[in-house]
Amino acid sequence: MINALHRNPVVVVLFLLVLSFILAPLAIATLIGFSSSPFLAFPPPGFSLQWFKRFFSDDAFMSGLDLSLRIAVIVTVAGTVVGVLSAYGLSRMKARMGQQILTAIMLSPLIFPVIVIALALLLFLSNFNLLGSLTGLIIAHLLIVVPLVISTVAAALAGLDKSINEAAASLGAGPWRTFGLIILPQVRGAVAGAALLSFLFSFNDVTFAAFIGGVNAQTLPLKLFGYIRYQLNPMIGAVSAIFIFSTLLVIVIFDRIVGFDRLVGIKE
């Protein structure tokens, strides 16, 4: 691909234009976070770290950050485990028609608009007094995260040689041992990518937080959404910069542990 870019100047120009289109808003938001101005202004009249200090000294934002991190970690771990096992179970089903029907049912939450699912969960969870609770938000996020993990891991499992299970069974390995020692290492890149996507979805969610969390359980994105309704200042840019740098840090860590090519599914 890189060689093709070097050979075709038109492709290079188009690539740079698309890259600029994607990165320009991120760069602007990051620079605004370092502004010394009390108002939103670009380019910044000066540079300061005051908005980062205000963010980390704000108890409301810190409580929202703590709640968002707790939910994201729990949802990522639980959703990845359930999703990976579900994808493996679906891949081993003998009945083709049954496999397709069950897969369609399990992936159906990805088809409906999130706001529709949030409204349905609002009506359902209200019967169990789970609105405005950590448990309610975890259930809501898992409804999207589990199908997301299933679809990602199932695609990787579909590319494996079907005779692996038969070969392992002929050597005396049971299903769980085959999965843990043979299958899982081969799809670890897809699992890592699914876990990363799950964490980012859960941490950045606003819709479920608004419907299910309400006033009692406000995550950081929901607090920010309410903040910008009444105040527009460079603190929003500072939070954006924190999110961007945190995401880059996570990607670098995954690259060191798993390998970026495996993380994005280029190699398995």
Side-chain angles (χ1 to χ4, degrees):
M1 178 180 178
I2 295 177
N3 292 332
L5 287 177
H6 284 297
R7 289 196 300 265
N8 195 330
V10 177
V11 175
V12 174
V13 173
L14 290 176
F15 174 77
L16 293 177
L17 288 175
V18 172
L19 188 63
S20 301
F21 178 77
I22 295 174
L23 296 181
L26 301 180
I28 293 174
T30 302
L31 289 176
I32 289 177
F34 291 93
S35 176
S36 61
S37 171
F39 310 103
L40 287 177
F42 187 84
F47 291 94
S48 172
L49 296 176
Q50 60 174 321
W51 299 108
F52 292 90
K53 295 178 182 178
R54 289 194 185 186
F55 171 74
F56 286 110
S57 61
D58 192 304
D59 293 335
F61 281 138
M62 288 299 99
S63 64
L65 176 61
D66 176 67
L67 180 62
S68 293
L69 288 174
R70 281 190 290 152
I71 294 174
V73 170
I74 295 174
V75 168
T76 299
V77 174
T80 301
V81 172
V82 174
V84 170
L85 294 179
S86 300
Y88 181 61
L90 289 171
S91 68
R92 289 179 57 85
M93 288 187 64
K94 302 296 183 180
R96 182 69 175 175
M97 182 63 68
Q99 181 191 51
Q100 293 176 347
I101 294 175
L102 191 56
T103 300
I105 293 174
M106 299 186 73
L107 298 184
S108 59
L110 298 178
I111 301 175
F112 296 96
V114 176
I115 192 170
V116 174
I117 298 176
L119 180 58
L121 283 174
L122 172 66
L123 300 175
F124 176 74
L125 295 177
S126 62
N127 298 319
F128 302 95
N129 296 322
L130 291 176
L131 295 180
S133 66
L134 178 67
T135 303
L137 284 172
I138 291 174
I139 293 174
H141 287 187
L142 284 175
L143 195 61
I144 299 296
V145 166
V146 170
L148 182 64
V149 175
I150 291 176
S151 62
T152 304
V153 177
L157 290 172
L160 297 181
D161 190 346
K162 302 298 182 182
S163 62
I164 293 179
N165 291 320
E166 298 176 1
S170 66
L171 295 174
W176 288 106
R177 192 172 185 181
T178 301
F179 172 74
L181 297 180
I182 300 175
I183 303 297
L184 190 59
Q186 296 190 67
V187 298
R188 66 180 184 274
V191 174
L196 177 59
L197 291 175
S198 300
F199 182 87
L200 293 177
F201 168 82
S202 180
F203 187 81
N204 293 314
D205 169 69
V206 175
T207 306
F208 286 136
F211 278 82
I212 309 302
V215 179
N216 298 325
Q218 291 198 341
T219 59
L220 179 59
L222 186 60
K223 286 183 179 293
L224 289 173
F225 185 76
Y227 181 82
I228 62 177
R229 293 179 61 185
Y230 304 102
Q231 301 186 57
L232 282 176
N233 54 48
M235 183 182 289
I236 304 302
V239 178
S240 300
I242 294 172
F243 280 8
I244 292 170
F245 292 138
S246 299
T247 302
L248 290 176
L249 178 61
V250 171
I251 292 176
V252 170
I253 293 175
F254 268 78
D255 182 36
R256 296 297 183 183
I257 297 176
V258 180
F260 188 72
D261 52 350
R262 292 182 179 273
L263 179 61
V264 299
I266 296 175
K267 294 180 181 179
E268 281 292 350

